[in-house]
Amino acid sequence: MKAEIICVGTELLLGDIVNTNAFVIARALKEIGIDVYYHTVVGDNFTRIKEVFQSALKRSDVIITTGGLGPTRDDITKDAIAEALNLKMIINEEALRKIEEFFKRVNREFTKNNLRQALVPETSKIIPNEIGLAPGVLLEKDDKIVIMLPGPPFEMEPMLYNYCIPYLQKKSGAIIFSRVLKFYGIGESSLEEKLIDLIDSQSNPTIAPYAKMGEVTIRITAKAKNKEEAIQMIIPIEEEIKRRVGNYIYAFDDQKIEDVIAKMLIEKGITIAIAESCTGGLISHKLTNIPGISKSLERAVVSYSNKSKIELLGVNPETIEKNGAVSEKTAEEMAMGIRINAKCDIGLSVTGIAGPDGGTLEKPVGLVYIGYSDKNHTFSKKFLFKGKRQEIKERAANAALQLLREKLLEF
């Protein structure tokens, strides 16, 4: 089954709100084996909604719309689709009764325009809306399935998961299951080159590489009758990828680097203290999102100024004067200082230039030093990141956690 998602609302086209509905619906359909080939956003215009829907009818088996089911003049999704399907609009008595009961309960006047929410195309069924007044609409015509859902996500999502997905699951008879492998320390092109024969020969499961900020992922996706069958299809592919490039894999599926680090620290009983300059506490923020990290994270200091580096971490003033705050030596003394002060197993530090100002030819924006210290050795590593200020901070934080992961593997 091929599906298409049509999101109605001029506010989406103008960028006033983010179209999260398409994301949620697409992921839900993926899980039940329905392929989504098209996403469309259209404004509150009768003609354009009708045209978009007619195009969808020609190429898709399942069409799901969101938005335009309310009581106002610009809520015209049902009208446009009814006309495209040559169906009359009729009052649904169940929907009308719910709307009337609501107005009585809150002691408000039932205005005539609220009747619009009870109007649906003939032959259709309503999808209960447990939160709002506008019911969804479900109809089948000429081997096509049409589902209309309200725009507000807090109304749309329960209707999607509680009614639409179970209904479509019976129609689909399949599921799509994915396994995600996350890599660090290898570029997308290099990874693809090492796996090119697997990628070229893919059918089911499929193999797709993706590049994200500071990492590369491989998504292995299988379509099968059930999850267990899909997993069995994926395992041989995953094992072959691990055999070839497993040393670059650091996480799977929804795991983040901070999840991996927290687990390693806690399981190994290792304590750590962190000194951050350019990342401004981002590393410690990531780690403190993980429950139980208090067993390992003793303290974190944002040592943004030179004064704080000297007073809180014990960095030698001459080190900063000679090498600068953003330097190999400063990063090393920051890491060692926080470790000694906290009496921890590991000290981790970051110092750099996040920009957009402050860079020079010798020390450009994006230059970052990450320091590491344990009882056996202290060192720092130089990085040069591209991007805007927030991107550089994010890349630096992730790089620091990846460096920490490499050292934790040695414990």
Side-chain angles (χ1 to χ4, degrees):
M1 298 176 74
K2 295 179 293 184
E4 183 158 347
I5 302 167
I6 302 174
C7 295
V8 179
T10 302
E11 66 277 9
L12 297 171
L13 290 175
L14 296 176
D16 291 338
I17 63 172
V18 178
N19 183 16
T20 59
N21 284 345
F23 166 78
V24 171
I25 295 170
R27 289 194 64 166
L29 292 177
K30 178 188 72 173
E31 297 297 327
I32 59 171
I34 296 179
D35 298 311
V36 178
Y37 285 176
Y38 301 95
H39 286 193
T40 306
V41 177
V42 61
D44 301 303
N45 177 279
F46 186 93
T47 302
R48 287 193 286 274
I49 294 172
K50 181 180 174 181
E51 289 174 350
V52 164
F53 180 76
Q54 287 173 327
S55 295
L57 279 176
K58 296 175 183 177
R59 61 195 183 194
S60 302
D61 307 302
V62 179
I63 303 159
I64 300 179
T65 73
T66 67
L69 305 187
T72 61
R73 285 179 175 270
D74 61 351
D75 291 312
I76 49 179
T77 299
K78 291 182 290 187
D79 306 81
I81 290 177
E83 183 168 305
L85 294 172
N86 295 314
L87 298 174
K88 296 179 181 179
M89 293 288 285
I90 60 172
I91 291 286
N92 181 281
E93 295 298 332
E94 181 183 348
L96 178 60
R97 184 168 60 254
K98 179 183 177 181
I99 295 169
E100 290 175 335
E101 288 174 353
F102 168 80
F103 278 90
K104 287 180 182 178
R105 187 168 63 252
V106 298
N107 196 27
R108 282 168 49 189
E109 179 186 359
F110 180 84
T111 55
K112 187 177 179 181
N113 61 353
N114 280 288
L115 281 171
R116 292 182 57 81
Q117 295 178 103
L119 282 168
V120 298
E122 60 182 338
T123 75
S124 65
K125 299 177 182 178
I126 64 168
I127 302 170
N129 186 339
E130 306 294 343
I131 298 173
L133 291 181
V137 177
L138 169 64
L139 65 89
E140 294 188 37
K141 191 173 190 293
D142 301 327
D143 296 324
K144 305 288 184 178
I145 298 172
V146 180
I147 295 173
M148 293 173 256
L149 297 171
F154 62 90
E155 295 183 35
M156 186 280 294
E157 291 184 27
M159 298 165 72
L160 173 72
Y161 291 117
N162 295 337
Y163 296 96
C164 303
I165 294 303
Y167 168 81
L168 292 171
Q169 172 75 81
K170 294 177 183 178
K171 298 283 185 179
S172 170
I175 64 103
I176 293 177
F177 180 77
S178 295
R179 176 74 160 161
V180 177
L181 283 58
K182 297 186 176 182
F183 298 80
Y184 187 83
I186 185 171
E188 183 182 15
S189 57
S190 297
L191 182 61
E192 183 181 61
E193 185 176 327
K194 294 180 183 298
L195 304 176
I196 192 64
D197 58 311
L198 298 178
I199 296 171
D200 285 346
S201 62
Q202 65 179 317
S203 55
N204 186 21
T206 59
I207 306 168
Y210 299 94
K212 296 183 178 180
M213 188 180 295
E215 69 175 19
V216 180
T217 65
I218 290 285
R219 182 183 296 275
I220 311 170
T221 303
K223 180 180 285 189
K225 293 179 181 178
N226 52 58
K227 182 178 178 179
E228 291 70 27
E229 183 179 307
I231 290 173
Q232 291 305 311
M233 295 167 66
I234 287 172
I235 286 174
I237 303 295
E238 180 179 334
E239 291 302 315
E240 178 59 20
I241 292 174
K242 286 180 180 178
R243 188 186 67 80
R244 298 187 190 187
V245 287
N247 55 315
Y248 295 105
I249 297 174
Y250 76 88
F252 300 89
D253 299 325
D254 293 329
Q255 277 186 313
K256 298 179 180 179
I257 181 59
E258 52 264 38
D259 298 317
V260 176
I261 293 296
K263 183 179 179 181
M264 294 175 77
L265 287 170
I266 294 168
E267 289 183 351
K268 293 173 182 283
I270 297 170
T271 55
I272 185 172
I274 304 170
E276 300 186 58
S277 184
C278 67
T279 46
L282 184 57
I283 299 170
S284 50
H285 168 71
K286 288 174 178 287
L287 285 176
T288 53
N289 281 334
I290 312 302
I293 193 61
S294 59
K295 296 175 183 177
S296 294
L297 179 60
E298 200 284 336
R299 71 183 64 175
V301 173
V302 177
S303 52
Y304 209 63
S305 67
N306 290 349
K307 182 180 179 182
S308 67
K309 291 178 177 66
I310 295 167
E311 293 182 354
L312 299 178
L313 307 176
V315 175
N316 191 327
E318 293 181 2
T319 299
I320 296 178
E321 184 177 347
K322 181 180 179 180
N323 302 282
V326 180
S327 66
E328 177 183 1
K329 293 297 183 182
T330 299
E332 290 173 3
E333 291 189 21
M334 288 171 65
M336 180 182 291
I338 193 79
R339 176 179 65 83
I340 293 172
N341 289 346
K343 297 180 176 61
C344 286
D345 299 313
I346 293 175
L348 186 70
S349 70
V350 180
T351 181
I353 305 169
D357 304 317
T360 65
L361 287 176
E362 291 184 356
K363 296 185 177 182
V365 169
L367 176 65
V368 173
Y369 288 92
I370 297 172
Y372 173 90
S373 179
D374 61 31
K375 66 179 181 179
N376 296 317
H377 53 267
T378 297
F379 69 93
S380 65
K381 192 172 181 181
K382 178 181 176 181
F383 295 85
L384 187 59
F385 299 115
K386 295 181 179 180
K388 297 180 180 178
R389 185 179 181 86
Q390 188 57 46
E391 292 171 332
I392 291 172
K393 290 174 65 177
E394 184 72 28
R395 292 178 190 275
N398 287 337
L401 291 172
Q402 290 289 356
L403 185 150
L404 177 58
R405 181 184 69 90
E406 291 173 10
K407 299 307 296 181
L408 287 174
L409 290 172
E410 298 175 4
F411 272 76

